[in-house]
Each structure stands twice: as structure tokens, then as C-alpha cells.
Amino acid sequence: MPNLGPAISLSAFVPELILSAVGCLVLLLGVAQRESVRRSIPAIAITGIIATIIVIFWRYTNANDVGGGFAFEPLAYFVRLSGLVLGVLLTLAAWAQPRDAERGEFFAMMLFSLTGLLLVAPAANLVLLFVALELVSIPTYVLVTLSRSNLKALEAGTKYFYLGAMSAALMAYGFSFLYGVSGTIAIDAEMASAIQDALAGRSGALPQALAVVGLLTSLAGLLFKVAAVPMHFYIGDVYQGAANAVAGLLGFVPKLAGMIALIKLLALTSVWYNHDEALFWVLWVVAALSMTVGNVLALMQSNVKRMLAYSGIAHSGYMMVALLAGPAAGGGMLGNGIAAILYYSVIYGIANLGAFAILGVLRVRGQACEHVRDIAGLLRREPGLALLMALAMFTLMGLPPTPGFWGKMGLFGSALHVAQHASSGPAGPQATWLTVLVIIGVVNSAIAAAYYLRVAAAVLLHDSDEPAEADQRLEFAGMGAFMCGFLLLVFSFYPNALLNSGTSAALRFEEAPAAITAAAPPPAAESSAR
Amino acid sequence: MGTMHLAAQFSLNALIFLPILAAVVIWALPKHVERMAQQVALWVGMVTLALGAFLWVLGQPQLVGSAETTDTPTLVGETEFAWINAVIHDQQENEVGGVRVRYHVGLDPISSPLMLLTALLVPLSVACSFASIKTRVREYYAWMMALTAGMFGVFAARDLLLFYIFFEFTLVPLYFLIGIWGGSDRRYAANKFFIYTFVGSVITFAGILYLAIRASFLESAGTGLGVIDFDLIKLSSLPLENGLTATEQSLLFLAFFAGFAIKVPFFPLHTWLPLAHTEAPTAGSVLLAGVLLKLGTYGFLRFSLPMVPLGAVQWASVMGALAVAGIIYGALCSWVQRDVKKLVAYSSVSHLGFCMLGMFSLLPFGLSGSVLYMINHGLSTAALFLIVGMIYERYHTRDVNQIGGLARQMPVMAFFLVFFVLSSVGLPGLNGFVSEFTVLFAAFNSTDHLGPSFGTLGATGILLGAIYLLYMTGKVLFGPLKEPANTPDLSAGLTRDLTVREITILTPLAVLCIVLGVAPRLVTDTLDPVLADERVPYSVLNRIRQARDSQIHLVTQTASPTSATRPKSEPLADHVAGPVAVGEVIFGES
């Protein structure tokens, strides 16, 4: 097994290198003398992202470079492409958001965060995974603070930074335990079998305890990134304080990064194969609570930004249903939970960003819209934006045939599929309790319908003496919102391409680890001898 | 066959896509030609009516003359291609997993009369909106057209997931129709309607997913290496022994029940309906009562019964009890309403109770009577809503205490109102009677599930129906003339009595009421064989019989494991020996 073995050619990183180089360029141009240069920064950022997409299409569609602690596989391809497409939308949405003096920093941070996301997927050892995750998060602390000039943004940024630092510390602490248990930092079969042995108590009591502590603390750190219960407390204030485009970014970049890291972490255990019951229950409770708490909190909000923030917790909960199901059942999006998560996080990211982008464009009496009553009667004034808002809400709600429906179908379907599988295998909690989790999820999507409908109703049905109107200076943000809507429509009626690339990205996880396949016929044999 | 089949395919797909196209066109019309929206919508409605009639005729073997010779019945206008195709192949190109959702549409004798009903009600409901809709005209007709597409899609779908998508899609346009153009309490009504139905249908969705995944496991002998698809025929012919267990079927039935029963609406889940009906614009009420409520009953018949027959058999008595409760409760509620529209809305609760009572008798003529009931209720209740709307446009009230003696003012309206009230209460010779009689007859005869007590209690619904409808008619039409001040309001180009346009709207419904009253066999002759076809293993009654057999099998196994002989289910053999036509039940063997 190559540990840090063969060097990997630098050419494997060309997309990431372009992106970070453009980030540095943008950072420098931010202090340029001439205003016209400073004004062109968003255009440069978006050109950089589009250039990266072109480079990926040109050279890296079938990249399979492994080495140096990275593994560029279909998963990396999926994340690269979806991350960059969302990056284009994010740049459009944030076009006129930062003040002149901070434009360079703002877009540089955005590009760095995207670079981090692109590196999370290929990271194949614990150190690089940690570094990539922090490369995602640290720029977002800056983004939240920079995005608006009021005290709330400062408060949000501070809160986000301290809690984020704590979660990073927890994660690093947990990763070090995992290293201690397995004796390797490479996330590979060797580490997996060591951790599985330790968790099953085959290596003695101390490694077992260390592995449990290591897993739980790193899990806690990652739950912060995806904003799942019990690490969700920051989300309402942070989303409310941040500018709309940044809140849209927070719903996608850290969430997808965190989900991928969670997938990598769980792939080290055997929770997907009806073992490690304790871990199963921890995740089960986290998923059930995330869905329920998120939806109940969102139901109580009348501020749209806070509502979307809390509903983000619920969406993490839905994804955790499929995370718990895992890839074991195989067979595409209604069986491989990982494929479903990848699909869903992209769709959620687009719909969430679309909703925030529309909020960002709207003004009531010159003020930004936040409250449900601010956007009442939008259909009369801005029919296009109103319909887009409705489309975003229906997607988040999961109404067929919006792509949110296909996503929910994948998440819940894979859980049911795994439950079916488990019912014919060895006894474990999966067979019954995954089905129960799906029922909790379905009931929660019904609860969610109530508050999403409140927004849709305000926009489309209600009248207002002073309806919100689009700020004409924010034409690019409006364009971003329309592109989100366009993508949602495309994925409604033609979800095949995204589904299939999600499926092939998740294919790697379908092979059961050696310890499971070896241990399956004779139960609990000492088959994992080195 | 060739060209006809192509024409049928074209027509059926046009029924679904033409209204969508029309919706886009109408929405995009420039402001100064706003009035054209009405014309476009009406013409599209007429075209769908023509296409619908054409498709219906094609489904009538005695008219077309092509007797069925093959064992698998053909569907009119069948079109099929894979829509969502995320299938995994192994090295030998075998399909080992993934999911496939088909765009698969086609009409059979269960769906084609309901399709024709929809095709008839759409142009009528467009025409009835001409005078009443004056704000946001383009949007209104665009949503109407979108709703039309959804309704046709539901009846044509042959893939469970495609059905579900159309089923859910109908929510959105109706939500807007009620929420924007409804009465004073419209937003509350629209939200209640949406959330109520959405809650039910997400539970149904979980059931659909479970069923499809379970089916792929059964098909691949437990390995799970099968494609998950939602094909209607495949899901309706799952083995009942060593297949879905009785508990599973029972739970799945409840999951389906959640979505369909809210739509019907079944007795304790009906509370959204009166509100939605009262607040909806007339056209919304017409389509809601005429077509959308049938999505629930159609769902039960098309999906619940053949897919989880054991569940249906287990729950049939409970369903019957709820249906009877709905009949009586709805009737009593109607009796005390002062708002005519609310009265008709509650009468729908009562009438759909009859429909479900017939269905859960699980007898051949009960099922076909139930389908007939769907159509008859669609005709007469839609007509009643239309008339109520016409009165409201003139008097701006629907309160029976404020209007009265209108027969002298509006003799033509009075004629139609009396006519449709009589059809609704089941006057022999008109359509309501045949279906009402059949479902009650079935309830009496269904000794396994329902029985005479259900029939007797259900029959009181007829009595109560006569009381509340005739009482309302008497107050509105006869007695001293009562009109609110400053009415009738004839500003919208109306006349004191019905205009030619309004008479044109009501006449086809009246004609059909007579036609179906005299010749119910137009529907049932093609319907009965399909419901009970011996050659088709997935026909509803075959599935019910299989379920009963397997249930008896289970009982005997647990009671006396040694006895190898399996008792023949004698009474059942009688019931399903041959299709019993509704006409034969009523008019005897001719």
C-alpha cells in the first residue's frame, strides 16, 4: 500500500492550481490604484472559474491519478464540476455585494474556499483531509464578516469563527486518535481494518476506547460543517448576519465538504454493514433530531433567512438518512446512499442559493428584504423572480417533479433499499430502524411543506401596498438567480446526467471492506490478521 | 391498426402536452390582447374534448369492431419510453440495479371514461369563467391549462411514479386558482388544501418507494440485483404467497390510504374540502368536484386494490364503515348549510362515500358501479356548482336566506337546477339512480366485508340526500321572491335568466345525465370485462380473489397444519365467475 508513496504529477492539480492562482491574482488586484481594475474583479473571478471548468472538460474527465495523499477519482470529478458550476452561480449572486475596498478579499476568499472543496474529495489521508476542510472553512469566516458592513455581520463572523475553531480542534483531536489506533494517516483499507478491529474489540480494550473517542470527536467536528444537531447552534445567527450570497455559499460549500468527509470517515468503520451498532445509533439519533429540530425551528421563523438557515439543518438530516444507509446496497441512486447524497447536496445547493440570490436582489423602500411580509405581493411587481422563488421553495419542499423530489426519492429510497437488504442478512438494527427513520423523514418533509408554502404564498398569493422590487444595479445577482432556476428546471425533466455522474462517483464505496467480506461467512473469525 | 394506433398515440400525448404548451402561450400573451387568453383556452378545451372523444371511441370494441383476440389487452394510445434511466449494468450488459421511471401512458376502459369526463368538463369550466374572472386573466387561464394537463396525465399514466408526479402536480395549479381568484378566505383555504393533501401524499410516496423496492427484491429472488421500476402491471402482479406479507400489505394499504383518502375525501379527513370548494372560483369547484376528487377513488381502484389486495381485503370492512359514516355525516352537514355552495360541497362528501362503499364491497358490480358513480357524480355535481356560480354572479350571495323564489325570475335556470338535483338524488331514469342502486346492492350482497347493515345505513343517505337537496331547491326556487338589494347585477353582460352561453354549458351535461341514466352500459360493458378479466392476472378482481384464497390458505394452515386439502372458496367463485354487468343487475337478463 502506498502510504505517501509515489509522487503524483503536479499536472493532476491543474484545476485547483488555476483556481488558487486566480484567487491570489484577485487578492492583489483588490488593492489596485485604478477603480476600473477593482471593478473588474468579479469578472476575473468568474473567468477563472469558467476557465477551470473548460480545463477539466478538456483534460480531466477521466482523471485517475493516485499518489501523494490524493486520489483523483470520479468522486473528485463530480465535486470539481458541481463545485465550480455552483461557483459560477455564487459569483454572479455576490457580484455587487462587497464594498469597493473589500472586493479583492471577498472574491479571493470565495475562490480559496472553492479550492478547498475541490481538494476535500481527492484527499486520501487524514492530514490533507483536515487541511482541505479548513481551507473550506477559514475563508468562510472572513466572508461572513466582510459581506456586510453592519454589526450583525461582525457578530455572525465572530460567532462562526470561534465555534468553527472549536470544531476544527475537535476534528483534529479525533483524527489524531484515529492515527493512534491505526498507525497510519492514509485513509485506506489498512486503516479501515485497523479501526474496525479496534471498534469490535478485537485489538483490546484501550484501542477500542481510543477508536470510539476518535470517531465521536471527529464526527462532532464534521457535524459542525454540515450544521447537524447537536452542532447547529450557530446557523441561525450566521445566516442572518451574512449577506445573502454568502448564506447561499454556506448552504453548499461547507455542507458538501462536510458530507464527503463524513462519508470518508464512515467508510473506515463497518456501520454500513450492520455492525458497529453503537455508531449506528449515534448517527440515527443525529439524523432524526436534525430533521425534527431543524424543521420545528424553521416553522417558528418569520424571517426568511433564518427559516432557510434552520431548514438547512433539516436538509442535513435528510442527507444523514442516506449517509446511514450507505452504499452497501449498491445499484445507483435508489440503493447507494452516497450517490443520493451527492445528487441531493447539489440540488439543495442550487435551490438554496437561488432563494438567497432572489432575497439579495429585492429591496423594500431601499432596504434589504428579510421578512416574509417584505416579499409579499412580489408576483405583481416582479413576476419572474416570484416564480423563481416559488420554484426554489417547491424544490426544497420536494414536490414532484422538481429535482428536490428526485433527491428525496434517492435519499429515502436508498435507506429503504438497505433496510430490505439487511432484513435478509445478519441481525442488526438496520432492517427495522432505517425504515422508521424514513418514516420520520417523510413526516418531516410534510412539516417542511408548511413553512416553504408560507414563503410561496407570500410571494404569489398575497398583496402588498409596497411590494418589493428588484434593485436594478444588481442585474448580475438576478442573472445568477435565473440561472439557478434554469438548472432546476433542467434537472426536473432531465435528471439523468447528474444522477448517473453521482452514481459513478459513489461507485468506489460500494465494495465492502475486506474485513466484512472475510468475516461474513464464519461470523467473527480472526480473519483480519496482518 | 397501424395508422389508428399512431393517431391514438398522438391524441393521447397531445392531451397532456397541448395544454402545457397552451399554458405557456397564454402566459406569454401581450397585455393588450389579454382577452385572447379566453379564446385560446376555450379552443384548447374544445380540441381536448375532440381528442378525448376520439380516444374513447377507439376504446369501444363494439363501435370500432376490433374484438380482443390477444390475452393481454391493448391500451389505447400506448406510448412508452424510459424517462429517468439510472440503470447499472454488469460486464455482460445485464441490468443489475438502479432505477427506471418510464413515461408510459395509455388508456384502458377504467381510465377512458374518466378521461372523457375531464375532457368534457375542461371546456365547460373555461367557458363558465368568462364573466367572473376579470383580474389577472392570462395567469388564470394558464393555470387552468396546467391543471388540465395534470388531470389527463393522472388518468393516462401507466407507471406508478409517473402517476404520482401528475397526482402531485395537480396541487400547484389548483393552489393558485383557489389562492388568487377565490373568495374572501381564499389564502387560508388554499394553504389548508395544499398542506392537507401534501401531507397525505408524502406518506403515499414512502409507500410507493417501499413497494417498488420490495418488488425488485422479489423479482430478483432476494438478491436485490434488479432494476427498481414502477411499472403498473409488474407491481399489480406480485405474488401474494411468499411475496408481500399480510402485515406489509396492510401497512402499505394504509400508506396509500393516506394520500388517496384525503383526496376522495374520506370521512374523517374531509375537512379541507368544504372550505376549498366554498372559496374556489366556480371553475375550480367544477374541476375539483368533477375530476380531482376522482383521483382519490381512481387511485384506490387502480393501485390500492390490485397492488396490495390482501391489505384491501383486511381493511375493507373498516373502509365500508368509514364510507357509511361519511355518507351520513356529509348528508347531515349539508342539511344545515345556509351557503348553497357549501351544501353542494358537503353533498360531495356524502356521495363519494357511496362510491367508496361500492368499491369496498369488492364485488364485480360494486366496482363497476363505483366507477359509474365517479362519472355520474362528476356530471351532476359539476353542473350544480356551475348553476350555483351562475346564481352567485347575479346576486353576489349564496345564502339561502337571502335569495328565494327565483323560479319566476329565472325559469330556465330553475329547470336545470331541478333537473340536476333530481339526477343527484337518484331519480330513476337519470344517471344517479343506476350507480346509487348498484353500489347499495353491492354493499348488501358483500357478505364477506360489508353486509346488510352497511347497505341499510348507506341507504339512509339517499333519503337524507333527497331531503337536503330538495329543501335547498325549494328555498331557492319557490316561495315569495327574495332578492338582495341592487340585484341582479347584470353589469358583466349577463341577462336576468341564463344567457345562451350558460345554457350551452349546461345542456351537454344534462344530455349526458339522461344518456347515462338510460344506457349505463355505454360505460359498463367495456368496464366489467376489464375489472374481472380471467385472462389478465393483474385485473382487480383476480387479485382480490387471489388475496382471499391466500388468506384462507393462511387460516387453514394455522388452524390445522395437517390438513392438506385447501377448501374451495365457494361463495367467492360465484362472485367472480363471470362479469356481471350493471345493466343486468338492474334490468335483468334481457
Side-chain angles (χ1 to χ4, degrees):
Chain A
M1 281 289 127
N3 211 350
L4 267 176
I8 186 170
S9 163
L10 206 56
S11 66
F13 296 95
V14 166
E16 288 78 12
L17 287 176
I18 298 177
L19 213 54
S20 44
V22 175
C24 295
L25 176 69
V26 161
L27 196 57
L28 287 176
L29 291 180
V31 292
Q33 287 286 319
R34 287 171 50 188
E35 208 207 333
S36 64
V37 176
R38 296 201 303 273
R39 292 185 75 85
S40 66
I41 283 174
I44 294 171
I46 209 166
T47 317
I49 297 176
I50 291 172
T52 318
I53 295 178
I54 293 170
V55 167
I56 289 173
F57 268 121
W58 176 44
R59 284 297 288 273
Y60 295 90
T61 46
N62 290 315
N64 216 345
D65 301 310
V66 180
F70 284 103
F72 288 95
E73 287 170 325
L75 178 64
Y77 174 64
F78 180 89
V79 173
R80 271 175 170 171
L81 214 53
S82 55
L84 290 174
V85 170
L86 263 288
V88 171
L89 301 177
L90 281 167
T91 317
L92 284 173
W95 199 278
Q97 181 63 47
R99 280 153 295 164
D100 182 50
E102 287 140 11
R103 204 177 276 133
E105 288 88 338
F106 186 91
F107 287 100
M109 290 304 150
M110 190 179 247
L111 289 169
F112 291 148
S113 189
L114 278 176
T115 315
L117 174 64
L118 263 54
L119 286 173
V120 167
N125 79 39
L126 289 177
V127 175
L128 288 173
L129 184 61
F130 178 77
V131 170
L133 281 169
E134 287 314 294
L135 186 53
V136 169
S137 287
I138 290 170
T140 57
Y141 308 144
V142 184
L143 280 175
V144 169
T145 318
L146 276 188
S147 62
R148 295 206 298 185
S149 53
N150 60 10
L151 270 179
K152 275 202 168 157
L154 197 61
E155 181 202 329
T158 316
K159 195 167 187 175
Y160 193 35
F161 171 69
Y162 281 115
L163 290 174
M166 186 194 74
S167 88
L170 277 175
M171 194 165 59
Y173 190 58
F175 281 3
S176 68
F177 273 64
L178 295 182
Y179 168 66
V181 169
S182 62
T184 170
I185 56 166
I187 304 174
D188 58 10
E190 196 187 339
M191 178 184 255
S193 67
I195 288 176
Q196 283 159 17
D197 284 349
L199 280 178
R202 289 195 284 268
S203 326
L206 185 62
Q208 188 179 18
L210 293 181
V212 168
V213 173
L215 270 178
L216 286 183
T217 44
S218 35
L219 199 62
L222 290 173
L223 290 182
F224 176 85
K225 307 270 184 228
V226 301
V229 173
M231 311 294 280
H232 64 281
F233 289 104
Y234 69 94
I235 194 166
D237 291 342
V238 171
Y239 274 49
Q240 193 184 4
N244 287 298
V246 175
L249 179 138
L250 292 182
F252 174 69
V253 179
K255 204 161 242 177
L256 181 59
M259 272 296 160
I260 287 172
L262 275 174
I263 291 164
K264 293 190 173 210
L265 191 69
L266 291 189
L268 295 174
T269 71
S270 50
V271 69
W272 291 333
Y273 301 93
N274 231 342
H275 297 290
D276 295 342
E277 276 195 34
L279 186 58
F280 177 89
W281 284 113
V282 169
L283 290 170
W284 195 94
V285 171
V286 167
L289 280 181
S290 295
M291 291 190 281
T292 316
V293 170
N295 276 325
V296 170
L297 286 177
L299 196 58
M300 299 188 311
Q301 306 303 321
S302 55
N303 181 309
V304 182
K305 286 176 84 174
R306 284 188 88 86
M307 184 275 274
L308 285 171
Y310 286 122
S311 82
I313 305 173
H315 285 280
S316 289
Y318 302 141
M319 288 191 238
M320 295 209 45
V321 175
L323 184 69
L324 201 51
M333 85 150 191
L334 269 190
N336 187 335
I338 308 303
I341 292 176
L342 292 177
Y343 177 81
Y344 195 77
S345 52
V346 172
I347 295 302
Y348 170 71
I350 297 175
N352 192 47
L353 174 63
F356 274 118
I358 295 165
L359 275 186
V361 174
L362 297 176
R363 294 286 179 273
V364 175
R365 295 182 296 273
Q367 298 290 311
C369 287
E370 283 199 2
H371 206 272
V372 179
R373 66 170 175 268
D374 292 342
I375 54 173
L378 191 61
L379 188 66
R380 304 301 283 277
R381 186 67 66 92
E382 303 282 348
L385 288 178
L387 287 178
L388 276 180
M389 192 62 151
L391 178 64
M393 289 302 132
F394 287 140
T395 302
L396 293 172
M397 196 190 291
L399 190 82
T402 62
F405 169 72
W406 301 120
K408 285 238 173 75
M409 179 168 134
L411 295 178
F412 296 152
S414 54
L416 287 175
H417 201 145
V418 171
Q420 277 298 318
H421 250 290
S423 62
S424 58
Q430 280 189 348
T432 323
W433 291 99
L434 273 179
T435 313
V436 173
L437 198 56
V438 169
I439 293 170
I440 296 177
V442 161
V443 171
N444 266 296
S445 357
I447 300 176
Y451 58 79
Y452 288 130
L453 197 63
R454 202 152 58 199
V455 175
V459 168
L460 299 168
L461 305 188
H462 286 261
D463 285 321
S464 167
D465 302 333
E466 272 185 297
E469 54 187 337
D471 189 334
Q472 295 306 322
R473 291 164 304 164
L474 299 177
E475 58 204 343
F476 285 105
M479 204 158 93
F482 273 99
M483 279 180 69
C484 288
F486 174 72
L487 285 179
L488 289 180
L489 275 184
V490 169
F491 291 136
S492 297
F493 298 103
Y494 188 70
N496 288 347
L498 186 60
L499 282 178
N500 285 334
S501 73
T503 303
S504 55
L507 210 55
R508 177 165 75 83
F509 295 96
E510 280 182 16
E511 298 156 23
I516 299 296
T517 40
E526 276 96 37
S527 54
S528 50
R530 311 259 168 92
Chain B
M1 188 69 192
T3 42
M4 278 319 251
H5 186 59
L6 267 182
Q9 275 188 332
F10 173 79
S11 317
L12 184 56
N13 290 300
L15 277 186
I16 299 169
F17 291 107
L18 181 69
I20 293 182
L21 189 68
V24 176
V25 169
I26 291 173
W27 192 290
L29 281 177
K31 178 96 178 145
H32 60 273
V33 286
E34 202 170 56
R35 292 199 66 80
M36 260 177 70
Q38 297 178 355
Q39 308 301 323
V40 175
L42 184 62
W43 276 109
V44 172
M46 301 301 271
V47 170
T48 56
L49 177 57
L51 293 175
F54 169 66
L55 286 168
W56 183 77
V57 168
L58 282 187
Q60 304 296 310
Q62 74 273 29
L63 295 183
V64 185
S66 68
E68 293 274 334
T69 48
T70 49
D71 275 1
T72 48
T74 50
L75 299 171
V76 176
E78 186 174 12
T79 313
E80 180 180 3
F81 62 86
W83 174 24
I84 310 290
N85 206 10
V87 177
I88 314 262
H89 299 271
D90 64 2
Q91 276 87 4
Q92 286 83 41
E93 291 298 307
N94 297 317
E95 292 175 340
V96 292
V99 58
R100 177 182 294 130
V101 180
R102 290 189 183 85
Y103 175 81
H104 186 182
V105 291
L107 293 172
D108 71 353
I110 301 178
S111 47
S112 66
L114 291 166
M115 179 276 305
L116 187 58
L117 175 70
T118 313
L120 175 72
L121 289 181
V122 166
L124 299 186
S125 53
V126 168
C128 82
S129 317
F130 283 2
S132 54
I133 301 299
K134 298 194 193 71
T135 53
R136 300 160 87 170
V137 179
R138 286 167 298 171
E139 288 167 56
Y140 177 83
Y141 290 103
W143 286 123
M144 283 283 280
M145 289 293 108
L147 181 61
T148 307
M151 292 186 300
F152 283 126
V154 166
F155 290 128
R158 301 290 296 179
D159 183 287
L160 184 51
L161 205 72
L162 187 69
F163 165 83
Y164 181 77
I165 287 171
F166 281 123
F167 184 81
E168 285 284 87
F169 176 71
T170 55
L171 273 185
V172 179
L174 196 63
Y175 172 72
F176 291 120
L177 286 177
I178 297 177
I180 299 179
W181 294 274
S184 54
D185 213 4
R186 57 186 181 273
R187 292 182 205 117
Y188 176 64
N191 283 333
K192 187 169 180 178
F193 159 73
F194 191 100
I195 290 173
Y196 224 116
T197 7
F198 189 76
V199 168
S201 46
V202 289
I203 297 173
T204 305
F205 175 58
I208 290 174
L209 272 181
Y210 185 89
L211 182 68
I213 289 169
R214 191 75 169 80
S216 91
F217 267 80
L218 288 174
E219 201 183 40
S220 61
T223 58
L225 293 177
V227 181
I228 297 166
D229 68 9
F230 299 87
D231 185 49
L232 189 65
I233 293 174
K234 179 184 147 189
L235 293 180
S236 313
S237 39
L238 296 175
L240 291 172
E241 291 173 35
N242 304 320
L244 293 172
T245 64
T247 326
E248 273 179 317
Q249 295 212 25
S250 180
L251 291 174
L252 280 174
F253 183 86
L254 287 184
F256 284 131
F257 175 83
F260 297 150
I262 287 175
K263 205 81 165 186
V264 168
F266 235 127
F267 159 56
L269 306 172
H270 66 277
T271 53
W272 63 271
L273 180 84
L275 190 63
H277 263 315
T278 326
E279 299 302 324
T282 303
S285 288
V286 169
L287 291 179
L288 185 60
V291 183
L292 290 162
L293 301 189
K294 275 64 186 189
L295 302 191
T297 49
Y298 177 77
F300 272 112
L301 181 62
R302 174 67 86 192
F303 303 103
S304 294
L305 294 190
M307 287 180 186
V308 285
L310 210 50
V313 170
Q314 285 168 331
W315 285 101
S317 304
V318 178
M319 296 291 116
L322 286 178
V324 169
I327 292 173
I328 295 173
Y329 179 82
L332 291 176
C333 284
S334 293
W335 199 351
V336 297
Q337 297 306 321
R338 287 169 47 183
D339 182 335
V340 184
K341 206 170 180 188
K342 218 165 192 166
L343 183 145
V344 182
Y346 272 112
S347 84
S348 282
V349 178
S350 180
H351 284 154
L352 267 301
F354 281 108
C355 184
M356 297 313 292
L357 186 65
M359 192 180 297
F360 282 95
S361 71
L362 301 179
L363 296 181
F365 49 94
L367 291 176
S368 59
S370 161
V371 175
L372 202 56
Y373 206 110
M374 291 181 209
I375 296 156
N376 292 336
H377 174 262
L379 292 174
S380 40
T381 305
L384 287 178
F385 274 120
L386 284 168
I387 296 175
V388 172
M390 290 165 188
I391 297 177
Y392 183 76
E393 280 165 27
R394 287 170 174 77
Y395 293 100
H396 302 302
T397 179
R398 298 183 296 251
D399 189 340
V400 284
N401 291 338
Q402 291 187 31
I403 43 178
L406 296 185
R408 260 164 274 168
Q409 295 283 330
M410 310 171 72
V412 183
M413 186 280 287
F415 163 74
F416 279 114
L417 183 58
V418 171
F419 181 88
F420 288 114
V421 160
L422 290 179
S423 135
S424 197
V425 299
L427 183 77
L430 293 178
N431 59 347
F433 170 71
V434 186
S435 42
E436 220 157 50
F437 183 85
T438 329
V439 296
L440 286 175
F441 188 73
F444 270 107
N445 276 294
S446 170
T447 45
D448 291 345
H449 306 297
L450 305 178
S453 53
F454 287 83
T456 320
L457 284 172
T460 59
I462 297 189
L463 189 67
L464 290 170
I467 294 174
Y468 64 76
L469 277 170
L470 294 175
Y471 182 71
M472 179 272 285
T473 317
K475 277 194 119 175
V476 171
L477 293 185
F478 307 112
L481 179 68
K482 257 193 288 183
E483 287 178 330
N486 302 325
T487 53
D489 172 15
L490 306 176
S491 58
L494 298 169
T495 50
R496 190 162 269 274
D497 203 346
L498 298 188
T499 61
V500 178
R501 174 179 62 88
E502 288 166 332
I503 295 172
T504 324
I505 292 172
L506 292 175
T507 310
L509 292 174
V511 171
L512 273 177
C513 282
I514 298 175
V515 169
L516 280 180
V518 182
R521 286 185 156 200
L522 271 179
V523 175
T524 55
D525 272 1
T526 48
L527 185 64
D528 288 327
V530 171
L531 287 173
D533 198 333
E534 293 275 307
R535 298 167 306 172
V536 186
Y538 53 85
S539 74
V540 180
L541 285 159
N542 273 343
R543 294 291 285 170
I544 298 290
R545 186 180 47 189
Q546 285 170 18
R548 284 187 183 130
D549 285 352
S550 72
Q551 206 181 26
I552 290 166
H553 188 49
L554 279 177
V555 169
T556 49
Q557 267 187 336
T558 45
S560 56
T562 46
S563 90
T565 52
R566 185 168 144 190
K568 279 262 181 275
S569 45
E570 295 295 348
L572 310 174
D574 280 347
H575 292 321
V576 286
V580 184
V582 171
E584 285 163 22
V585 170
I586 293 166
F587 304 112
E589 218 42 79
S590 51

